[in-house]
Every structure is written in C-alpha cells, then in structure tokens.
Amino acid sequence: AQSVTQLDSQVPVFEEAPVELRCNYSSSVSVYLFWYVQYPNQGLQLLLKYLSGSTLVKGINGFEAEFNKSQTSFHLRKPSVHISDTAEYFCAVRGYQGGSEKLVFGKGTKLTVNP
Amino acid sequence: GAGVSQSPSNKVTEKGKDVELRCDPISGHTALYWYRQSLGQGLEFLIYFQGNSAPDKSGLPSDRFSAERTGGSVSTLTIQRTQQEDSAVYLCASNPFGSYTEAFFGQGTRLTVV
C-alpha cells in the first residue's frame, strides 16, 4: 500500500534562512506527488505537484520540490523563508493500486519562522 | 458552487448520539474524499468515491462510520454512537476526473463530542 513519511514533525527556522521539508513515499506503482499548505485556521491549498517530466517542480510563494525516484523522495525547499510561511505542510501521494487511486497524506510538518 | 462546501462548520454533540456531516463538492468533480484531521495525526484517509465505481472504504476506523454519495454529487458522512475519540476536524475534498489532478478541500467540520 502506498504511504508517505514526513521525517520532521516540527521545523523552526529564522527569517530569511533556507528550509527543506523532507518527504519520502512508498508505492509500487507510478505516482503523482503533491505538497499542500495549511495556514493557521485555514483550509488546505495546493503548493505544487509532480506529475511527470522535469524532476524539479516550482510552486507558489517561491517553493520548489525535487522528485527523486531512486530515493523515493519529494523534498520541499525554499531558499529564503518569511514570517508568513509559518504553516503546516503536507506531502501527499496518489497512485493506482488495488482498484483505487486514493490520495494519501503524511502526518505533516509544522514550519515556524522566527524573526 | 465555486468551492467545496461543508456543513455544519462546527458541531458539538453528546457522546452516544449520531451525527451527519455534509459535503458539497465542486460541480463536475467525479472524485470525492473524506479525511479526518486530529492534532499531530495529519490527514487520516477515511473514504474515496470515484464516479460510479465502488467506494474505497479502507480508511473507515470502525463500523460506526459510514458515508454515501448520492447522484454522484453531495456526500454525507455519518458517525453513529459518537465517542470522545471521534472529536476532530473532518475534511472533504473533490477533484476532477484524472489521477494527475489535485484535490480541492473544503474548510472542514469541527466535531466535538462531549
């Protein structure tokens, strides 16, 4: 069964520092990968997605992620974070398995950007 | 509507009572998901509807949980004999046909069982 592991539950960083939020997935089939963000007291919105093609994917708010098939990873990066990036970030995978294409999420990484 | 709509936004219920949570997906979206979000647990998959196919119910935690989707549109998640551990935010999402498309989320229903 497909699954997603987000290795860090909390990541504190200072403003303007770079950040990497790690995500590993397991799936025996071709997958589509997503990063969602949830700002405090708000719903989930899509940051970026990997479907095929270039392994480096750019999203909103200066975020990017790199798909690495051999390491089954899809880490999210930003070269310089802002206070407004404080939020919870979720990695998700969808792959066709057992007649279902359900979208499975990791447990999330809470990013806190400090001044 | 413009987005996924969930109602009610908040629900407080007594232990042992049944509750129904409603989700109105984006018009034309063939896939619909229910998730449960608890503190520190991320988004726990509950159930997935895709068109006319049999739903994937593999995430429902017990037989007290059930969901249906009428006419390929509105969905209702029912929790019978609620327990305190059912307290969580229940999220609904929908996406257009195609596994390459992203899911769009509603604002959720915050369920509190007292």
Side-chain angles (χ1 to χ4, degrees):
Chain A
Q2 57 208 41
S3 65
V4 176
T5 301
Q6 291 185 243
L7 296 157
D8 306 296
S9 59
Q10 297 191 58
V11 173
V13 294
F14 288 109
E15 196 173 15
E16 297 182 7
V19 71
E20 179 179 80
L21 306 184
R22 297 180 291 168
C23 172
N24 286 86
Y25 68 91
S26 70
S27 176
S28 59
V29 298
S30 297
V31 295
Y32 301 105
L33 295 156
F34 306 83
W35 274 99
Y36 281 81
V37 60
Q38 187 176 35
Y39 297 104
N41 301 313
Q42 293 189 29
L44 276 87
Q45 58 181 278
L46 182 73
L47 259 185
L48 48 79
K49 60 184 176 183
Y50 171 78
L51 306 178
S52 65
S54 173
T55 57
L56 184 64
V57 180
K58 294 189 184 297
I60 61 171
N61 300 337
F63 283 92
E64 62 182 34
E66 184 151 23
F67 171 60
N68 187 318
K69 188 174 182 179
S70 62
Q71 296 187 6
T72 60
S73 68
F74 190 53
H75 301 332
L76 181 70
R77 302 187 185 105
K78 186 169 182 178
S80 175
V81 294
H82 303 291
I83 299 283
S84 59
D85 292 323
T86 294
E88 191 154 20
Y89 293 79
F90 294 93
C91 181
V93 62
R94 178 191 281 133
Y96 188 79
Q97 195 164 41
S100 175
E101 292 182 314
K102 66 188 179 191
L103 185 62
V104 176
F105 283 82
K107 291 189 182 295
T109 297
K110 193 163 290 188
L111 174 67
T112 303
V113 181
N114 298 301
Chain B
V4 178
S5 177
Q6 291 188 246
S7 60
S9 54
N10 279 285
K11 175 74 177 178
V12 180
T13 189
E14 292 181 354
K15 180 181 169 182
K17 300 275 191 188
D18 297 352
V19 295
E20 284 190 352
L21 312 181
R22 177 187 167 105
C23 173
D24 231 308
I26 294 172
S27 178
H29 281 195
T30 59
L32 187 147
Y33 302 84
W34 283 98
Y35 294 90
R36 178 167 68 178
Q37 186 174 24
S38 308
L39 199 61
Q41 296 302 309
L43 274 75
E44 178 188 2
F45 167 79
L46 298 178
I47 189 167
Y48 166 54
F49 296 90
Q50 173 57 63
N52 295 321
S53 303
D56 180 341
K57 304 179 182 181
S58 60
L60 294 177
S62 76
D63 59 7
R64 296 187 296 105
F65 288 73
S66 62
E68 60 179 30
R69 188 178 184 193
T70 52
S73 181
V74 171
S75 177
T76 303
L77 177 70
T78 301
I79 309 173
Q80 295 179 310
R81 305 181 302 282
T82 51
Q83 304 294 311
Q84 288 186 326
E85 60 263 29
D86 299 335
S87 296
V89 176
Y90 289 83
L91 293 169
C92 177
S94 69
N95 69 259
F97 178 78
S99 55
Y100 52 85
T101 56
E102 69 265 27
F104 296 81
F105 281 81
Q107 293 296 307
T109 294
R110 182 175 296 278
L111 176 66
T112 304
V113 182
V114 298

